[in-house]
């Protein structure tokens, strides 16, 4: 859903816009990925344990699997959401290059797998709705990928209670643009071993645009997905900027 984007923004904000410092280490070390566990690498938990002054943690976990102590601390949370059709496409290409995931098969097969909730982190519908409901209780900023170009840095700064300084905002906007992040090994996961992430199959940062699903979905797939989506989202007041 594009979580690397706000991750890089947050890391740059907490280093006062010092983009050179942000380029010195990989994003996976800058912001420990809580549930990450890969061969011959420190796990997310191990990285957290060795981080002396922790500001930021990344996770894809559903609400129910987060440690209770996390909520007890009343930390601020930023959740990234995206048009589910674009999520399917981005996820499909990610499955191809990330060797820690099973072979996704054809796009048609993966679409069925996604709708059935048989992907990592299970049902997309449950995931987004549970986090949306948590928004009512906790300090949670629910961001939509489609709005990121317009409001991403200013909105995040205000949520964190930080001053909006235009010069720093401009520097962060440039550093976290898709073009800059895609050529930055510290942000695009090129520092990961090829045995874990094969960038020759697909870049980690797939595409910045919204609506790329139109280049991949058939008419039949789109009709089927729309019906499935509304069956699972009808009872929720959460509404995505999803094109028909």
């Amino acid at each position: 859903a594009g979580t690397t984007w706000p991750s890089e923004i947050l890391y740059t904000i907490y280093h006062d816009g010092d983009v050179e410092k942000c380029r010195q280490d990989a994003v996976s070390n800058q912001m420990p990925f809580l549930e990450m566990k890969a061969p011959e690498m420190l796990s997310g938990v191990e990285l957290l344990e060795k981080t002396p002054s922790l500001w930021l943690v990344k996770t894809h976990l559903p609400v129910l699997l987060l440690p209770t102590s996390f909520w007890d601390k009343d930390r601020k949370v930023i959740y990234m959401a995206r048009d589910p059709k674009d999520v399917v496409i981005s996820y499909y290409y990610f499955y191809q290059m990330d060797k820690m995931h099973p072979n996704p098969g054809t796009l048609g097969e993966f679409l069925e797998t996604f709708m059935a909730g048989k992907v990592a982190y299970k049902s997309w519908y449950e995931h987004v709705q549970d986090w949306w409901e948590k928004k009512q209780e906790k300090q949670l900023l629910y961001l939509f990928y489609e709005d990121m170009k317009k409001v991403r840095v200013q909105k995040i700064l205000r949520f964190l209670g930080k001053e909006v300084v235009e010069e720093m905002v401009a520097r962060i906007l440039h550093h976290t643009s898709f073009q800059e992040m895609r050529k930055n090994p510290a942000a695009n996961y090129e520092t990961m071993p090829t045995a874990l992430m094969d960038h020759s199959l697909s870049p980690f940062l797939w595409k910045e645009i919204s609506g790329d699903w139109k280049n991949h979905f058939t008419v039949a797939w789109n009709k089927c997905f729309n019906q499935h989506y509304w069956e699972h989202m009808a009872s929720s007041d959460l509404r995505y900027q999803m094109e028909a």
Side-chain angles (χ1 to χ4, degrees):
T3 53
T4 303
W5 202 356
S7 297
E8 191 70 19
I9 290 172
L10 283 164
Y11 190 71
T12 312
I13 286 173
Y14 276 98
H15 283 83
D16 299 317
D18 188 341
V19 298
E20 292 306 318
K21 187 169 184 178
C22 294
R23 291 190 180 104
Q24 292 175 5
D25 199 3
V27 66
S28 53
N29 294 326
Q30 298 169 358
M31 185 179 298
F33 189 178
L34 182 61
E35 65 271 21
M36 177 71 173
K37 188 171 179 63
E40 301 180 14
M41 292 183 63
L42 288 177
S43 69
V45 172
E46 289 168 333
L47 276 173
L48 291 172
E49 289 173 343
K50 66 175 290 190
T51 304
S53 179
L54 183 64
W55 294 333
L56 304 167
V57 183
K58 175 178 176 176
T59 182
H60 291 323
L61 289 175
V63 167
L64 293 177
L65 290 184
L66 276 185
T68 304
S69 58
F70 183 87
W71 299 114
D72 291 343
K73 299 293 184 182
D74 200 31
R75 292 188 173 94
K76 291 188 176 182
V77 179
I78 295 177
Y79 186 84
M80 173 64 86
R82 191 178 188 180
D83 179 337
K85 296 177 186 177
D86 278 335
V87 171
V88 169
I89 301 304
S90 180
Y91 214 0
Y92 175 68
Y93 284 102
F94 177 69
Y95 257 63
Q96 289 185 337
M97 63 87 69
D98 188 318
K99 297 307 177 182
M100 292 174 280
H101 288 78
N103 188 310
T106 66
L107 179 54
E109 291 169 339
F110 185 75
L111 180 60
E112 292 181 4
T113 300
F114 180 88
M115 290 193 295
K118 295 181 179 179
V119 290
Y121 305 103
K122 301 185 70 176
S123 168
W124 177 88
Y125 302 103
E126 292 178 12
H127 201 290
V128 297
Q129 290 184 76
D130 286 350
W131 275 103
W132 181 253
E133 290 173 8
K134 203 71 177 176
K135 172 177 174 287
Q136 315 306 320
E137 307 170 26
K138 298 291 178 179
Q139 296 189 76
L140 190 150
L141 177 62
Y142 205 102
L143 290 176
F144 292 92
Y145 184 92
E146 292 74 18
D147 292 333
M148 284 288 283
K149 282 187 178 181
K150 305 173 191 173
V151 300
R152 63 183 188 266
V153 175
Q154 293 92 332
K155 194 167 188 177
I156 291 172
L157 281 167
R158 293 189 183 99
F159 174 69
L160 298 174
K162 293 185 174 292
E163 184 181 0
V164 178
V165 179
E166 291 307 318
E167 186 273 333
M168 187 176 81
V169 169
R171 191 161 61 248
I172 295 173
L173 282 170
H174 176 73
H175 173 68
T176 61
S177 67
F178 185 81
Q179 293 75 17
E180 288 297 309
M181 287 181 61
R182 199 171 194 185
K183 66 184 183 184
N184 178 7
N188 66 18
Y189 283 84
E190 285 184 3
T191 58
M192 293 284 284
T194 305
L196 298 179
M197 285 190 175
D198 190 345
H199 288 257
S200 69
L201 297 176
S202 172
F204 174 79
L205 296 175
W206 173 240
K207 287 185 180 180
E208 178 190 18
I209 63 172
S210 298
D212 185 49
W213 63 268
K214 297 175 187 176
N215 298 317
H216 299 81
F217 274 43
T218 66
V219 173
W221 291 353
N222 190 42
K223 182 178 179 181
C224 178
F225 189 90
N226 285 344
Q227 180 178 346
H228 193 263
Y229 175 89
W230 288 113
E231 286 173 356
H232 287 77
M233 298 292 285
S235 61
S236 175
D237 64 349
L238 172 59
R239 292 292 177 262
Y240 280 79
Q241 300 175 36
M242 190 176 76
E243 299 180 49

